[in-house]
Amino acid sequence: CINALAGSDVPFHDHPQIGMMVEVPAVVEIIEDFARIVDFFSIGTNDLVQYMLAVDRTDEAVGEYYIPHHPAVLRAIKRVADAGNAFGRDVSVCGDMANNKDYLKFLIGCGIRKVSMNTIYLAENQKAIAGIDTAGAEAMAHRLLSTGDMAAIEKELFGR
C-alpha cells in the first residue's frame, strides 16, 4: 500500500505502526518472536479468555466456566506484558477486563499502562487507577501469579 500511495498525489504516513491483537493461546507461546517484529500488542481479553479456557461466554450451559481471573489467563497476560516491556513495545488491554475496575490493579502490576475501555466505565476506572500504588499492584500481581487457588485469587481481586 505504501508503494502504491507513493506513486500518487495522495498525502500519507509512510511509517505506520504495525501491531497485533493477542487473542489466542498459540500467540502467547511465541509472543517473544512477535515482539521482535511488531510495534505494539493489544490483548483482547474476551477472546483470549474464551479460547484459553475453551468456553463460550455466551453459552448458558458453560458460561459459568468463563473466568477471566483463571490462573492460566492471568499468567498469559503477564507473559505478553513481559515480552512487550522487554522489547520496548506498548501493551494495551481491551475487552471486559479493561472495563472492570477489579482487574486494573492486576493489569498495572503486570506492567500494562494502557487500557481501552467503554466510555461508560471511564470515570469510575479513572478514579480507581488514580488510587493504585504501582509497587502494591506489582506485589499483588506477583501473589496472584504465584497461586492456582481460585478462592485466594477471588479474595485478592474482589474481596470475597
Side-chain angles (χ1 to χ4, degrees):
C1 291
I2 289 172
N3 291 337
L5 287 169
S8 72
D9 292 331
V10 177
F12 68 97
H13 178 55
D14 63 350
H15 289 90
Q17 286 198 329
I18 306 296
M20 69 180 279
M21 293 294 297
V22 177
E23 297 182 313
V24 294
V27 168
V28 176
E29 289 302 311
I30 55 174
I31 198 67
E32 292 83 5
D33 296 324
F34 287 113
R36 289 179 179 89
I37 58 174
V38 302
D39 296 308
F40 63 91
F41 294 119
S42 181
I43 303 171
T45 59
N46 295 353
D47 286 340
L48 183 63
V49 172
Q50 178 169 316
Y51 298 134
M52 285 206 76
L53 303 180
V55 174
D56 181 352
R57 66 189 175 128
T58 64
D59 185 336
E60 291 180 17
V62 295
E64 69 184 278
Y65 301 110
Y66 179 92
I67 304 169
H69 51 278
H70 187 283
V73 174
L74 299 182
R75 291 172 191 172
I77 290 169
K78 177 64 168 151
R79 184 163 176 193
V80 174
D82 286 349
N85 290 329
F87 286 86
R89 309 299 187 235
D90 282 338
V91 179
S92 63
V93 171
C94 62
D96 290 339
M97 287 182 81
N99 291 331
N100 186 329
K101 67 177 176 47
D102 293 327
Y103 292 116
L104 294 174
K105 188 173 180 180
F106 170 77
L107 297 173
I108 290 170
C110 286
I112 294 168
R113 299 295 181 262
K114 294 183 178 185
V115 290
S116 175
M117 67 185 66
N118 187 310
T119 56
I120 64 171
Y121 302 104
L122 190 58
E124 177 183 19
N125 287 345
Q126 280 180 319
K127 184 177 179 181
I129 290 168
I132 294 173
D133 168 67
T134 304
E138 290 169 353
M140 177 228 217
H142 179 74
R143 288 189 301 274
L144 294 180
L145 294 164
S146 300
T147 186
D149 182 343
M150 289 298 295
I153 291 170
E154 290 174 355
K155 184 175 181 182
E156 184 96 37
L157 285 172
F158 314 118
R160 47 177 151 145

